[in-house]
Amino acid sequence: MPRRLSGPTEDTDTPQKDRLGHTHNGEKGSFTSAKDEVKRESDSLDRRILEKSLSLAHSSPNGPILPPGITQETLNRPLHLGEEESLDKMAKRRNWRRLRTRNPWSLSLPMLVTTAIALILLLFIVHAFVTRQLDPKGCDMCWSRPIYIKFSDFDTEHTRFASKYSLYMLREGGFDEDPKARNPTVEDTGVYIAEADWPQVKGVPILFIPGNAGSFKQARCLEFEAAQYYHNVIQQDPDALKRGVTSLDFFAVDFNEDFSAFHGQTLLDQAEFVNDAVAYILSLYHDPRRLQRDLSLPDPSSVILIGHSMGGVVARTMLTMANYQSNSINTIVTMSTPHARPPVSVDSDLVHAYGKVNEYWRKAYLQKWANDNPLWHVTLVSIAGGGLDTVVPSDFASLESLVPNTHGFTVFTSGIPNVWSGCDHIQTTWCVQLMKAIARSIFETLDVHRPSQTKPRAERMRIFKRWYLTGMEDIVEKALHQQEASTLVPLEKDSNSVLLLGERLVLKGLGHSEKFKVYLLPVPPQPSLDTKSFTFLSDQPLQKDGGPLEVLFCGVFPTQPGHSAALLSMSLDLSGETPGSSRLACKSSSLDAISLPASRRVSNHPFDKDEPFSYLHYSGHDLADYQFVAVVDKGTEAQRGWAVAEFSDSVRSIIATNNGLRSLSIFGLHVKLPAERPLVAELQVPALHSSLLAFNLHLGPQACGDDIELFTPLLRQHLEEPFESKFFVNVKDANVSLHGIAPFMPPPLRCQGANNGLSLQFWSDPTCNSSIEVAMKIDFAGSMGKLVMRYRLVFAAFPLLVVALVLRNQFKVYDETGTYILTPHLQLLAHRKAGTFITFAESLDLCLRSSLPLLILALSVFAISLAASSTASPGVQSRGPFGLRGNATETALDFTKNDLLLGSQDPIFWFLVPLFGLISVGVCILVNYAALGVTHLFYLPYHYLTARPSWVRMEDIGGRSIAPAFSASSPRRRLITTCILLFFVSTLIPYQFAFLDAVFVQLLTCTRALRLVRASNSPTHHNFYNYTHSIFVLMLWVLPINLPVLVVWVHNLAVHWLTPFSSHHNIISIMPYLILVETLTSGRMIPRLNGSWGRHITNVSFFALSVWAAVYGISYAYVLHHFVNGICAWLVAVHNWGRGGMGLKEMREVLDGDGDGGGGDIKKQP
């Protein structure tokens, strides 16, 4: 039977000696006597260490040897050892600390409380994001039968990406099938794919660009709506064809669902390919074999671009590429596109590409003269989905920092007429209501009589604003002034109802007379007209021809009988031929009619299928040239319907609040709309402009009977910039959230005036004559949910702040342990020979008690300072001393000023720094234990495969115990392996793949180190395991920064694109990682640094990493990889030169296969 390896022998009466040298007969002593014995031994040991230290210090031939920070006066000071109880407590603390140091699973009370609070907060935020402040979905799904025709001749002669990307033409089955399409095949999705040698072109070219991982098939809904509208409407309208409107030739590029949101070079490659595709498409219209157009029309010189998601960024990037054909693009419409900022900042090429493209557009539109602006002819419309888009924050779709409103604007789908619904990221490609608006607006901009195939830029902008904006924005031009008088109205009391000045017109029921009924409202005279506005609301459509109602703006036009037709081209003469009567020459306002969602008692959502309301609004200066407003009831038979028209005072219509943001957050807002109020009342809340806040609005009941109520209250929530509007019908309760000033957003391109903040417009029945209570209070849970979309990348940065501080503390304790220490209470000099690398958990516990709260507090103060400077009036960029740096073409605004820290522009959000810091600490604790769990999971099979058989003894013939072996490859093999991997990085694979390999190798190193700890409970093995585990945790937090680019590389292999990346082959970006990981595979523990400069470098490096991760980590996450890479280079230097270095002789021995590369603390296998 094998003999025990440790512990006393059982069943023996021989007196034994314990480890303290005392004999006993195996009898069980009392706990008190054992405690006293340990106490005396600890006291004696401390005294012997002290006496030995003092004797060595004084007996030096060159004088006393003093530790750093210890003076001669300290040595001569009398010693006071204190009472035995103090020594006993010190011994207990030391033993307890040693146990905690060696137990990586230890969890202190502060860590437990922090983790619990962090989990509760994180789950609360995620739950609020999923369940609170959700916009209703109202999009209809489209159904189409598209046919995709691939251009097989668009090959490598036209583009170098022909083997990776493709070009298709779309035709709609049943409307415009191509007669030359052949070999149609049906996919599992029911999509027809066909080929054609010479696909026919007959209309205006329009090209669809898919987004990140998007498909070219996403263009089918827009193509279907365009084909259907042309077939059913335009072809039946000869006037439209004469105006230059024709069909659309839909093209789409196939990017093989490439990931352009993760990789900047992929974005540039796609832009280059689409430029080649545009040149090829335009060449089709010069080929008579493909052309089915009227030969008298000019050949197209430009292509309309429709971009979804990152496809919109590709469209803007095209104009900056070297292969861009001048003036080949003049109209761009984007959907859910992150224009202002990259969606993720993990790739340096993507961040730099965004910076160059945005800077090009900004400089172009800041030019003083149009001839100096290469983008003067370009119009850009950005359509955002709003709160339902959980892929890309809709704040990033803003064009305020890129394009003036003369060339482009941003609009939200919830405000587009007859859409009135939010859209998620994919819905913007198939929402029927949105596709109809886009297709019809594009048709209206066409003019095939021009080479550009579109109307001039100014006219295109007017059309887009009329189709996409509500019509109540200040930049929307009224069409009334551009029309000519087309109707004559007699000014006689017998035939018309002339209302008194300031009287309100209310019509309940239409068609009460056998002929047209005209109601005249006098326009207020000057100067009171400047403060007046005219409003009209009806449940009937306002149409120039055929509608039951029409609103005319009239001026006095006295003429002789019989001469009206000669002087004016009248479409309607209501005056007859009454001799001597005064007549009014009137203009129709039908083109300025604004559609509003119907608000009735049965209404639930603005996108319901009810007939919309018609609304007109004119300010006083719009009516300066008119004397009367005529409301014409064209009904000849009684029918249901109502209309309200009035002139109202702007002072009574607008209610401005002075509540600050803090007051709104704490006390809310309470306003009472008076009983005597105009048809439309506007509540302005200038302080409410942040996209991080959400409110709940409650509207009190309107005391109005069922018989006299015309409509229920209608609410419009809107912002001026960007143009976001939301409608609430039959409103009682509403969720108020907006996309105003958002974190990290660059400032506007041109300085604007005071921010008007949120505005709430109320349409209420003025005939009810009852007041309405309006109450609005903050939705705390909903506001917390808004943090998810704006701060998703915070978990790529803030956890590294915590990990860096933990490693800094670990190295600090490790380097200081074993040096001379002056204990403050006992005034005792002690010396430890071995350093202690404490566990990750214990170091985190120490950070929670010291450095971490101080750093979070400093960052909170810094956040307040940044927010205060951001809200201040913008100044010019610094040009250096004496103004020598910079040039006259530089922009005056700093568009990166909101990139720091959390990017907040309001000091009230300073609390987000400690909030995210607390959550990051909890997440780091969980990841630490998850890493421990994975290591132990790998340890189980590794221990099973490498365990010694039970019959093998653990000691050799000489009686010496064999230390556990650390299985490692030879230094020569490690060097060769590293060189081979670096070679592949420099040629074929991106360095992100090598980093993933390094993480896996580090996991195996931790597993082997754990086996050493389990086999031999040595302090050296514990140090090495704690060290490798902390490095593994650090690499785990850097891994998410590298994964997106790695996904792009793997996708390229999947689509058989074997051309190596043109980026991410810098071996310097991965070499320190690889060398450090390979060094740790040898089992070498990093040496302690006795010099103060080395400790300072380690300390400052990790502290700088923590500060950088907090301040710049979210906006420039890719830099964190390189920062940690630099720290790894320093650790490699400490490994190699901390023990005297590796010279040419040692390197030669390594290459020859001899030596171990400098030795180490862990024994190797022989």
Side-chain angles (χ1 to χ4, degrees):
M1 181 175 180
R3 182 172 53 87
R4 282 180 175 268
L5 300 179
S6 61
T9 304
E10 297 181 359
D11 300 332
T12 179
D13 297 332
T14 305
Q16 301 289 332
K17 285 188 177 183
D18 58 16
R19 59 179 184 149
L20 300 178
H22 301 282
T23 60
H24 59 85
N25 295 323
E27 297 179 358
K28 184 177 180 181
S30 65
F31 176 78
T32 306
S33 61
K35 176 180 178 182
D36 294 338
E37 187 177 0
V38 172
K39 183 188 305 181
R40 289 193 298 270
E41 185 65 26
S42 177
D43 190 7
S44 176
L45 179 61
D46 290 335
R47 290 176 183 272
R48 290 198 301 270
I49 291 176
L50 174 62
E51 293 172 359
K52 185 66 175 177
S53 300
L54 294 179
S55 63
L56 291 176
H58 286 285
S59 62
S60 174
N62 298 326
I65 301 176
L66 302 180
I70 305 301
T71 63
Q72 182 65 34
E73 180 182 357
T74 305
L75 289 178
N76 297 330
R77 186 183 306 167
L79 297 177
H80 301 281
L81 298 181
E83 301 179 356
E84 292 184 358
E85 184 66 25
S86 299
L87 292 175
D88 181 51
K89 291 182 178 179
M90 183 181 71
K92 287 183 178 180
R93 287 195 300 266
R94 182 167 59 249
N95 294 334
W96 176 79
R97 177 183 176 85
R98 182 164 57 250
L99 291 176
R100 284 198 56 207
T101 301
R102 295 187 179 183
N103 184 13
W105 293 92
S106 61
L107 183 65
S108 65
L109 181 60
M111 292 175 58
L112 180 62
V113 173
T114 302
T115 305
I117 296 176
L119 281 178
I120 293 174
L121 289 175
L122 184 60
L123 293 177
F124 175 72
I125 292 174
V126 174
H127 181 266
F129 172 71
V130 175
T131 60
R132 303 299 293 267
Q133 293 286 330
L134 300 180
D135 295 335
K137 296 183 178 181
C139 284
D140 297 332
M141 173 66 76
C142 74
W143 301 95
S144 62
R145 194 169 66 113
I147 300 176
Y148 302 95
I149 305 174
K150 184 177 181 180
F151 287 92
S152 56
D153 58 339
F154 185 52
D155 51 18
T156 54
E157 294 184 1
H158 299 88
T159 178
R160 64 190 180 101
F161 299 102
S163 59
K164 184 179 182 181
Y165 303 142
S166 306
L167 178 65
Y168 286 83
M169 172 182 281
L170 280 71
R171 296 295 189 190
E172 184 60 32
F175 288 114
D176 56 351
E177 298 181 7
D178 196 316
K180 295 189 177 183
R182 57 182 173 81
N183 298 330
T185 59
V186 182
E187 295 186 344
D188 294 337
T189 57
V191 177
Y192 287 85
I193 305 294
E195 296 181 0
D197 295 329
W198 307 104
Q200 304 298 298
V201 291
K202 54 186 177 181
V204 176
I206 180 171
L207 177 63
F208 176 80
I209 308 175
N212 180 65
S215 172
F216 68 98
K217 300 173 185 177
Q218 292 173 329
R220 64 183 183 271
C221 290
L222 181 60
E223 185 272 337
F224 168 75
E225 291 297 335
Q228 185 183 46
Y229 184 71
Y230 177 78
H231 183 268
N232 296 336
V233 178
I234 296 179
Q235 276 191 329
Q236 316 304 325
D237 185 3
D239 293 335
L241 300 176
K242 292 180 181 179
R243 293 194 304 269
V245 182
T246 186
S247 62
L248 295 174
D249 290 331
F250 261 87
F251 301 86
V253 290
D254 179 15
F255 289 144
N256 267 321
E257 300 182 1
D258 215 346
F259 296 94
S260 55
F262 299 156
H263 194 221
Q265 189 58 48
T266 299
L267 175 69
L268 299 177
D269 292 345
Q270 291 181 357
E272 180 182 344
F273 172 80
V274 179
N275 270 329
D276 295 335
V278 167
Y280 174 80
I281 290 172
L282 293 178
S283 68
L284 299 178
Y285 294 84
H286 299 282
D287 190 346
R289 295 171 296 182
R290 304 176 185 265
L291 198 61
Q292 289 186 346
R293 286 164 50 100
D294 187 352
L295 297 180
S296 62
L297 297 176
D299 294 330
S301 62
S302 65
V303 177
I304 300 173
L305 298 183
I306 306 293
H308 174 251
S309 187
M310 291 299 294
V313 181
V314 172
R316 288 200 304 115
T317 306
M318 292 170 58
L319 282 76
T320 67
M321 302 295 292
N323 66 332
Y324 168 65
Q325 183 176 329
S326 180
N327 296 326
S328 61
I329 300 170
N330 65 6
T331 303
I332 303 175
V333 178
T334 66
M335 302 171 292
S336 301
T337 297
H339 289 289
R341 289 179 56 84
V344 291
S345 59
V346 297
D347 180 48
S348 60
D349 291 344
L350 182 64
V351 176
H352 295 157
Y354 254 88
K356 291 181 180 179
V357 172
N358 288 351
E359 185 65 19
Y360 178 85
W361 280 68
R362 287 166 183 151
K363 286 186 176 181
Y365 286 117
L366 288 174
Q367 298 297 324
K368 184 177 181 180
W369 305 106
N371 293 335
D372 299 329
N373 182 4
L375 305 177
W376 183 257
H377 63 289
V378 178
T379 57
L380 175 61
V381 178
S382 176
I383 302 175
L388 291 179
D389 192 344
T390 58
V391 177
V392 174
S394 291
D395 308 290
F396 291 2
S398 175
L399 298 176
E400 284 186 275
S401 63
L402 299 171
V403 180
N405 55 25
T406 56
H407 291 74
F409 57 89
T410 306
V411 65
F412 286 74
T413 57
S414 58
I416 298 178
N418 299 311
V419 179
W420 296 320
S421 172
C423 297
D424 63 30
H425 197 70
I426 302 299
Q427 276 183 338
T428 52
T429 63
W430 56 258
C431 181
V432 170
Q433 298 94 316
L434 179 61
M435 296 300 102
K436 288 181 178 180
I438 295 177
R440 296 177 185 184
S441 65
I442 290 176
F443 272 119
E444 196 167 339
T445 61
L446 298 183
D447 186 359
V448 294
H449 303 104
R450 298 168 54 89
S452 64
Q453 305 294 290
T454 57
K455 294 180 171 62
R457 176 197 56 81
E459 182 63 23
R460 294 200 307 272
M461 285 301 301
R462 280 194 291 266
I463 294 172
F464 286 141
K465 291 175 182 177
R466 186 167 66 250
W467 274 98
Y468 297 135
L469 300 183
T470 62
M472 291 173 276
E473 294 81 2
D474 293 336
I475 66 170
V476 177
E477 300 179 14
K478 300 294 185 182
L480 180 66
H481 308 298
Q482 304 172 7
Q483 300 184 56
E484 295 182 355
S486 58
T487 304
L488 285 179
V489 176
L491 187 57
E492 295 180 355
K493 292 184 179 181
D494 297 339
S495 58
N496 300 298
S497 298
V498 180
L499 278 69
L500 300 177
L501 185 64
E503 184 180 357
R504 176 186 295 147
L505 172 64
V506 178
L507 298 180
K508 297 181 180 180
L510 305 176
H512 293 293
S513 61
E514 298 180 356
K515 60 180 182 179
F516 290 0
K517 182 69 174 179
V518 181
Y519 302 90
L520 296 178
L521 284 74
V523 175
Q526 295 287 355
S528 61
L529 183 60
D530 296 335
T531 61
K532 300 289 184 178
S533 62
F534 173 77
T535 54
F536 172 88
L537 183 65
S538 175
D539 62 344
Q540 302 296 318
L542 290 181
Q543 299 177 1
K544 188 175 182 180
D545 299 321
L549 281 176
E550 187 173 3
V551 179
L552 307 173
F553 290 83
C554 309
V556 177
F557 185 75
T559 59
Q560 296 296 327
H563 292 280
S564 60
L567 296 176
L568 291 175
S569 178
M570 295 295 169
S571 61
L572 181 63
D573 190 351
L574 303 177
S575 63
E577 293 294 335
T578 305
S581 64
S582 298
R583 287 173 290 184
L584 302 175
C586 304
K587 300 179 180 180
S588 175
S589 62
S590 58
L591 295 180
D592 291 333
I594 299 171
S595 294
L596 295 180
S599 181
R600 301 182 177 91
R601 293 205 170 217
V602 296
S603 301
N604 295 317
H605 301 102
F607 47 80
D608 292 340
K609 304 305 179 183
D610 296 338
E611 188 70 23
F613 290 170
S614 298
Y615 177 67
L616 289 174
H617 178 270
Y618 291 95
S619 61
H621 66 271
D622 293 330
L623 306 179
D625 298 332
Y626 308 99
Q627 287 76 43
F628 290 94
V629 176
V631 178
V632 182
D633 180 2
K634 298 181 180 180
T636 57
E637 296 180 357
Q639 58 179 341
R640 299 180 60 182
W642 54 265
V644 179
E646 67 177 8
F647 282 93
S648 59
D649 196 341
S650 302
V651 177
R652 295 180 55 199
S653 301
I654 299 177
I655 303 174
T657 62
N658 298 322
N659 302 62
L661 191 57
R662 290 178 179 84
S663 176
L664 289 172
S665 303
I666 299 174
F667 306 105
L669 179 65
H670 301 273
V671 176
K672 183 177 182 180
L673 301 181
E676 293 292 334
R677 62 181 180 275
L679 172 66
V680 183
E682 182 173 355
L683 177 62
Q684 295 181 351
V685 192
L688 188 52
H689 48 67
S690 174
S691 61
L692 297 179
L693 293 178
F695 286 80
N696 291 326
L697 184 140
H698 175 73
L699 202 66
Q702 184 175 238
C704 207
D706 295 338
D707 297 334
I708 61 174
E709 184 181 60
L710 300 179
F711 61 96
T712 56
L714 172 65
L715 170 63
R716 174 197 174 215
Q717 163 204 324
H718 72 96
L719 290 173
E720 291 186 356
E721 289 289 344
F723 299 112
E724 180 186 19
S725 294
K726 289 182 182 179
F727 291 93
F728 302 91
V729 297
N730 192 20
V731 60
K732 298 180 181 66
D733 297 284
N735 294 327
V736 178
S737 61
L738 57 149
H739 295 81
I741 298 179
F744 306 108
M745 289 296 293
L749 186 65
R750 289 187 171 91
C751 296
Q752 300 176 347
N755 192 344
N756 293 328
L758 178 70
S759 295
L760 301 173
Q761 279 186 298
F762 298 91
W763 285 266
S764 58
D765 188 353
T767 62
C768 289
N769 197 25
S770 64
S771 61
I772 299 179
E773 297 284 345
V774 179
M776 188 169 63
K777 62 180 181 180
I778 191 170
D779 182 2
F780 179 75
S783 300
M784 297 296 287
K786 297 298 179 183
L787 300 177
V788 174
M789 288 301 299
R790 276 78 180 187
Y791 290 109
R792 291 179 298 179
L793 289 180
V794 74
F795 291 108
F798 264 57
L800 273 175
L801 177 151
V802 180
V803 174
L805 289 182
V806 170
L807 278 163
R808 170 180 171 269
N809 202 36
Q810 285 179 300
F811 277 99
K812 183 179 180 181
V813 173
Y814 179 62
D815 290 334
E816 290 180 354
T817 313
T819 59
Y820 291 93
I821 300 175
L822 181 64
T823 59
H825 298 291
L826 302 179
Q827 301 179 358
L828 175 66
L829 285 172
H831 181 271
R832 292 185 182 179
K833 295 181 180 180
T836 302
F837 202 94
I838 60 178
T839 64
F840 188 93
E842 185 176 3
S843 180
L844 181 54
D845 179 57
L846 295 177
C847 290
L848 284 175
R849 303 170 187 268
S850 56
S851 57
L852 191 57
L854 294 178
L855 181 57
I856 294 297
L857 178 61
L859 291 175
S860 301
V861 175
F862 184 52
I864 296 175
S865 175
L866 287 176
S869 62
S870 177
T871 55
S873 58
V876 297
Q877 290 180 339
S878 173
R879 296 182 179 271
F882 310 106
L884 297 179
R885 189 172 70 237
N887 53 67
T889 62
E890 286 186 349
T891 58
L893 289 175
D894 181 12
F895 292 98
T896 62
K897 69 176 185 177
N898 296 325
D899 290 349
L900 305 182
L901 204 56
L902 297 181
S904 176
Q905 304 178 38
D906 201 309
I908 196 176
F909 298 111
W910 65 269
F911 68 91
L912 293 180
V913 176
L915 174 65
F916 290 136
L918 178 62
I919 295 178
S920 298
V921 171
V923 173
C924 284
I925 294 174
L926 295 178
V927 170
N928 171 53
Y929 289 114
L932 288 173
V934 172
T935 304
H936 283 71
L937 187 63
F938 273 69
Y939 163 76
L940 295 177
Y942 179 73
H943 174 70
Y944 176 77
L945 295 175
T946 59
R948 294 176 181 268
S950 60
W951 59 83
V952 178
R953 296 179 57 170
M954 293 295 295
E955 54 185 35
D956 58 7
I957 299 176
R960 293 180 295 104
S961 176
I962 300 177
F966 193 92
S967 303
S969 59
S970 65
R972 179 182 181 182
R973 178 177 296 180
R974 294 198 304 270
L975 182 61
I976 294 175
T977 302
T978 303
C979 291
I980 293 176
L981 190 57
L982 290 177
F983 171 76
F984 280 108
V985 168
S986 63
T987 54
L988 297 176
I989 65 176
Y991 68 76
Q992 287 82 2
F993 180 83
F995 181 83
L996 180 63
D997 177 71
V999 173
F1000 183 73
V1001 172
Q1002 185 64 18
L1003 173 60
L1004 298 181
T1005 302
C1006 292
T1007 304
R1008 289 185 290 172
L1010 178 61
R1011 184 178 181 274
L1012 285 177
V1013 172
R1014 291 294 182 89
S1016 175
N1017 195 18
S1018 168
T1020 303
H1021 295 166
H1022 277 282
N1023 287 348
F1024 182 71
Y1025 173 67
N1026 295 336
Y1027 172 50
T1028 55
H1029 173 75
S1030 297
I1031 296 298
F1032 177 58
V1033 172
L1034 177 65
M1035 297 178 70
L1036 282 181
W1037 282 111
V1038 180
L1039 182 61
I1041 301 175
N1042 293 276
L1043 283 180
V1045 176
L1046 188 60
V1047 169
V1048 177
W1049 180 70
V1050 173
H1051 176 268
N1052 284 351
L1053 297 181
V1055 298
H1056 307 291
W1057 178 255
L1058 303 180
T1059 303
F1061 268 8
S1062 57
S1063 59
H1064 303 290
H1065 294 292
N1066 186 0
I1067 61 174
I1068 304 299
S1069 299
I1070 194 60
M1071 183 186 296
Y1073 284 108
L1074 298 180
I1075 297 177
L1076 178 61
V1077 169
E1078 289 295 331
T1079 301
L1080 294 180
T1081 59
S1082 66
R1084 293 176 51 186
M1085 180 61 189
I1086 189 171
R1088 290 186 296 107
L1089 295 175
N1090 295 324
S1092 59
W1093 63 271
R1095 299 180 185 178
H1096 290 329
I1097 292 178
T1098 305
N1099 195 342
V1100 171
S1101 297
F1102 282 108
F1103 183 77
L1105 172 61
S1106 64
V1107 174
W1108 177 276
V1111 177
Y1112 291 98
I1114 299 179
S1115 297
Y1116 307 96
Y1118 67 92
V1119 181
L1120 295 174
H1121 169 92
H1122 303 289
F1123 210 125
V1124 177
N1125 188 50
I1127 293 179
C1128 290
W1130 166 247
L1131 296 181
V1132 169
V1134 174
H1135 268 283
N1136 290 330
W1137 287 278
R1139 294 178 174 85
M1142 180 183 292
L1144 295 178
K1145 181 179 179 181
E1146 290 78 4
M1147 181 66 70
R1148 190 181 302 111
E1149 292 178 354
V1150 170
L1151 294 177
D1152 293 339
D1154 302 330
D1156 61 354
D1161 293 319
I1162 307 299
K1163 292 185 178 181
K1164 318 296 184 304
Q1165 280 185 336

